[in-house]
Amino acid sequence: MSTENQSVCAVVVAAGSSRRMGGENKLLLPLCGKPVLAHTLTAFQMCGAVRDIVLVCREQDMEVYRTLAAENGITKLRTLTRGGDTRTESVLAGVSAASEACALVAVHDGARPLVSDEVITQAVAEAAKTGAAAPVVPVKDSIKRIENGKIAADVPRDTLAAVQTPQVFRRDMLLHALLDAAANGRSFTDDCAAVEALGQMVSATSGSYENIKVTTPEDIAVAEAFLYRREKK
């Protein structure tokens, strides 16, 4: 399968409620002078592996996000579509809105503004070969299994990784997995789990410790530190 840019659509999921930010829309918070979401969209705008962008969001955010995209030169934005009550529903809406000409979809958290071109292109290239790929990073901390408030056992750290986005899949494969989940009343917080539930293996590609998800106010400070370091290189 070709990895040329006409075959890849980025589905950026931005339909969350930002509860851990106290209800304030974290995607509009300033990050080095631009909203978090502007950084995220720009990463895919600048990536040669991506042809189109579909933005999944809440109804009340559509006009604000459309203006944000226009002000930041996001010309690849194909459409905005309303998200659902769960991530699975939101991703299904985004994949359904992607052009059928796009053989691959790259599902990405709107709150991961520091994703690099390298992380995107590696996942896309691997998914073009295997059908499904996601970036991961090794777990740094020691992991324990807890039972009844007590440490019950060590979990071997070298067998664990933290998964990131974009998670890239053949469009038909992910659409089938999400429709199956909807038909059976299942919801997944991770898109890999939807295709894994149908027996599809997902290839692991190299993620980045800079590819953080902005979830709490402290994450903004961390993201700004990473951006300042990039600018100095």
Side-chain angles (χ1 to χ4, degrees):
M1 182 182 295
S2 171
T3 60
E4 294 178 0
N5 64 352
Q6 67 264 28
S7 68
V8 184
C9 177
V11 173
V12 177
V13 184
S17 60
S18 301
R19 286 189 301 271
R20 281 173 284 185
M21 281 287 188
E24 185 176 7
N25 188 340
K26 63 187 177 184
L27 300 182
L28 296 178
L29 292 177
L31 177 59
C32 292
K34 292 200 306 184
V36 168
L37 184 60
H39 288 277
T40 305
L41 295 175
T42 297
F44 290 93
Q45 174 71 26
M46 300 300 293
C47 181
V50 173
R51 176 186 178 183
D52 295 331
I53 300 171
V54 170
L55 181 59
V56 186
C57 60
R58 300 180 299 180
E59 187 79 40
Q60 63 263 38
D61 295 325
M62 282 191 172
E63 286 306 314
V64 173
Y65 289 172
R66 187 175 283 112
T67 299
L68 179 153
E71 290 177 345
N72 287 275
I74 310 301
T75 59
K76 291 182 181 180
L77 184 61
R78 171 184 171 85
T79 189
L80 291 88
T81 190
R82 185 170 61 85
D85 294 331
T86 66
R87 181 184 178 86
T88 300
E89 292 175 353
S90 292
V91 175
L92 176 57
V95 174
S96 299
S99 170
E100 293 184 5
C102 288
L104 298 174
V105 288
V107 184
H108 187 68
D109 298 321
R112 290 188 187 269
L114 303 187
V115 64
S116 68
D117 190 275
E118 184 178 11
V119 167
I120 299 170
T121 54
Q122 280 192 22
V124 166
E126 184 63 25
K129 293 187 291 184
T130 65
V136 303
V137 291
V139 173
K140 292 181 178 181
D141 295 328
S142 295
I143 305 297
K144 307 290 186 181
R145 182 163 54 84
I146 305 298
E147 294 180 1
N148 299 319
K150 305 291 185 182
I151 294 176
D154 291 327
V155 179
R157 187 170 53 190
D158 56 0
T159 65
L160 301 175
V163 69
Q164 302 180 334
T165 64
Q167 297 176 6
V168 188
F169 310 91
R170 285 203 329 262
R171 182 180 181 274
D172 59 342
M173 175 195 297
L174 183 58
L175 190 58
H176 174 55
L178 294 171
L179 288 171
D180 182 80
N184 290 282
R186 295 197 303 266
S187 181
F188 301 98
T189 57
D190 173 73
D191 308 304
C192 291
V195 298
E196 289 167 359
L198 296 184
Q200 170 67 40
M201 299 292 290
V202 180
S203 298
T205 59
S206 296
S208 168
Y209 289 112
E210 291 188 6
N211 186 20
I212 65 170
K213 186 174 183 180
V214 174
T215 303
T216 64
E218 294 80 7
D219 295 328
I220 290 288
V222 174
E224 286 187 334
F226 281 138
L227 279 175
Y228 285 133
R229 189 172 71 175
R230 283 185 185 180
E231 292 172 359
K232 290 181 179 180
K233 290 183 179 179

